[in-house]
Amino acid sequence: RMLSGYKPKNDIRDSYKILELEEGCSLDDVRNSYRNLAKKYHPDSSSGMADSTAFIKVEEAYRVVLNDLAAKQKSDPSEEEEDQFKSKSLQHRHYLSFEGVGIGTPSQREKQYMQFRVDRATEQVLEYRQQRLESLYAGSDLSRAKDVRQSKKVKITQAVERLVEDLIQESMAKGDFDNLSGKGKPLQKFSDSPHIDPMTHNLNRILIDNGYQPEWILLQKEIRETIERLRKSIVASRRKLGEPMTLSEQKQWGRICEQFAEDIRKLNKRVDNFNLVVPILSRQMVHFSTDKEILRARKTYEAVMEKVSDSDMKENEGEESKRFGWKSFLFKWLKLTLK
């Protein structure tokens, strides 16, 4: 059937009848009718009306109707105009497909467009290579700068090590290490426990013997010394003002308390730094309260004033006894003689 010399036996009218259509129907109607009849008469379908002979007739009628519709479309002038417009539009789109490059016939413009694409691809490749080389040179410059800085650090470290070694050798030549205690003797073990690393404990003992202290211990000592100094200074300032205080002395005391509060705030910052470096959680410190410290200073001042008043009273009693002591001694002697 697909051979070029095949001619269907059905006429046009009979073909329309076989497809159950009328002349003048559309192409979609023809296709729908053929699809439905093929499902009904196809030998491989599961319908009860399957018939190979009927299916062949339907297929031949479908081809005859398609040829008839095609002949009618060619004979219609409106269709020819539409075909001409379509061909022109296709040529126009073909003209625009070259991105507006070139002049002349479509074949000439196609050659010019191909050359344009080659030139553009070459330029893109060159730009990519240039950018890659620039990035490589920039990365190499950075790596060189890093290498230079690292080499400078290494040179400085080596120079310091050589300087220290030269100073040690010079001191040994002068005999500065001859008077050291334990010269020529082996290091004593810090602990005899087999579970303790002797090297670590020996190093710790050497550091302790030479006055080394960890940072957190120095900070703790500094904080304690600072709070003691602040407490003594505020008590001394209160004693200078005396009791009772005048209006100007009260203002002065207020300024002293403000300065004391600022010093406590700075000290609390040191406490925070200490808590960050202390290795033992139980050794951490709490912040100092300004109100509590001022109240403590007042109590200390009152206790000092009481001691001062008691000592003054005792001194007065001693002076009175020195003044009137000979009279009491005379009365005692007279009593003894009269008896």
Side-chain angles (χ1 to χ4, degrees):
R1 295 176 186 175
M2 299 301 294
L3 296 175
S4 59
Y6 176 77
K7 294 182 180 180
K9 299 179 181 179
N10 297 331
D11 297 334
I12 296 174
R13 292 181 180 179
D14 296 337
S15 299
Y16 277 104
K17 289 180 180 180
I18 292 171
L19 294 177
E20 299 177 358
L21 296 172
E22 295 180 357
E23 295 184 6
C25 62
S26 64
L27 180 62
D28 293 334
D29 295 336
V30 175
R31 289 176 179 174
N32 292 331
S33 178
Y34 171 71
R35 189 180 298 109
N36 295 328
L37 293 173
K39 290 180 181 179
K40 184 187 295 185
Y41 297 117
H42 197 279
D44 296 334
S45 64
S46 59
S47 63
M49 300 178 65
D51 187 3
S52 59
T53 305
F55 177 73
I56 293 172
K57 292 181 179 180
V58 168
E59 190 175 2
E60 290 178 353
Y62 175 66
R63 295 181 181 279
V64 170
V65 172
L66 287 180
N67 293 330
D68 182 60
L69 292 175
K72 288 180 180 181
Q73 287 179 358
K74 288 181 180 180
S75 61
D76 193 354
S78 61
E79 294 294 334
E80 292 180 358
E81 292 179 359
E82 291 180 359
D83 293 339
Q84 292 177 1
F85 179 75
K86 289 181 180 179
S87 62
K88 290 181 180 179
S89 63
L90 289 172
Q91 290 178 0
H92 184 64
R93 288 196 293 272
H94 185 68
Y95 178 81
L96 294 176
S97 64
F98 298 122
E99 300 181 8
V101 177
I103 58 175
T105 62
S107 60
Q108 293 175 351
R109 294 185 65 252
E110 184 177 3
K111 293 180 180 179
Q112 296 173 9
Y113 178 66
M114 293 297 293
Q115 186 63 35
F116 169 75
R117 290 183 61 187
V118 171
D119 296 339
R120 185 171 59 183
T122 305
E123 291 178 358
Q124 291 177 355
V125 169
L126 293 176
E127 289 179 358
Y128 171 74
R129 290 181 178 177
Q130 184 178 0
Q131 293 177 359
R132 185 176 180 183
L133 290 175
E134 289 177 356
S135 62
L136 290 175
Y137 283 124
S140 62
D141 293 338
L142 291 175
S143 61
R144 288 175 184 174
K146 291 180 180 179
D147 294 339
V148 169
R149 289 195 295 269
Q150 189 67 24
S151 63
K152 286 183 179 179
K153 289 182 181 180
V154 172
K155 288 180 181 179
I156 292 171
T157 304
Q158 292 177 354
V160 171
E161 291 178 354
R162 287 195 299 270
L163 178 61
V164 172
E165 186 66 26
D166 293 340
L167 292 175
I168 292 173
Q169 294 296 331
E170 184 179 357
S171 299
M172 291 176 64
K174 291 180 180 179
D176 295 338
F177 298 155
D178 294 339
N179 298 325
L180 295 177
S181 59
K183 178 185 177 183
K185 298 180 182 179
L187 294 174
Q188 297 179 357
K189 290 185 178 180
F190 183 77
S191 177
D192 296 332
S193 176
H195 304 289
I196 299 176
D197 183 17
M199 180 62 68
T200 303
H201 284 281
N202 286 331
L203 292 175
N204 291 333
R205 182 176 59 80
I206 292 170
L207 293 173
I208 293 171
D209 293 342
N210 288 274
Y212 173 77
Q213 292 180 350
E215 182 182 3
W216 65 275
I217 292 178
L218 296 176
L219 282 174
Q220 186 181 28
K221 184 179 179 181
E222 182 182 358
I223 291 170
R224 290 176 179 175
E225 291 177 353
T226 304
I227 191 62
E228 290 297 329
R229 178 175 55 80
L230 293 175
R231 288 170 179 172
K232 290 179 181 179
S233 64
I234 194 170
V235 172
S237 300
R238 182 65 185 85
R239 290 185 65 181
K240 288 180 181 180
L241 296 175
E243 187 70 29
M245 292 186 294
T246 61
L247 184 60
S248 60
E249 290 175 346
Q250 289 179 0
K251 292 181 180 179
Q252 186 178 357
W253 173 248
R255 290 193 294 269
I256 291 171
C257 291
E258 290 177 359
Q259 183 61 36
F260 181 76
E262 181 66 20
D263 295 336
I264 290 295
R265 186 182 64 81
K266 294 179 181 179
L267 184 62
N268 287 332
K269 288 185 178 180
R270 295 184 184 178
V271 172
D272 293 336
N273 295 331
F274 169 77
N275 292 334
L276 291 174
V277 297
V278 65
I280 305 173
L281 186 63
S282 60
R283 293 292 184 89
Q284 290 187 347
M285 302 175 67
V286 296
H287 284 185
F288 295 97
S289 175
T290 305
D291 298 334
K292 291 182 179 180
E293 293 297 331
I294 292 174
L295 181 61
R296 179 176 180 174
R298 289 178 179 175
K299 291 181 180 180
T300 305
Y301 168 73
E302 292 174 358
V304 170
M305 294 304 295
E306 289 178 359
K307 289 182 181 179
V308 171
S309 61
D310 293 340
S311 63
D312 292 341
M313 291 177 63
K314 289 181 180 179
E315 289 180 358
N316 293 330
E317 290 178 357
E319 290 179 357
E320 291 179 356
S321 64
K322 287 180 181 179
R323 290 178 182 177
F324 302 103
W326 61 275
K327 292 182 180 180
S328 61
F329 178 75
L330 180 59
F331 283 122
K332 289 180 181 180
W333 182 76
L334 289 173
K335 288 179 179 180
L336 290 173
T337 54
L338 290 174
K339 290 179 179 180

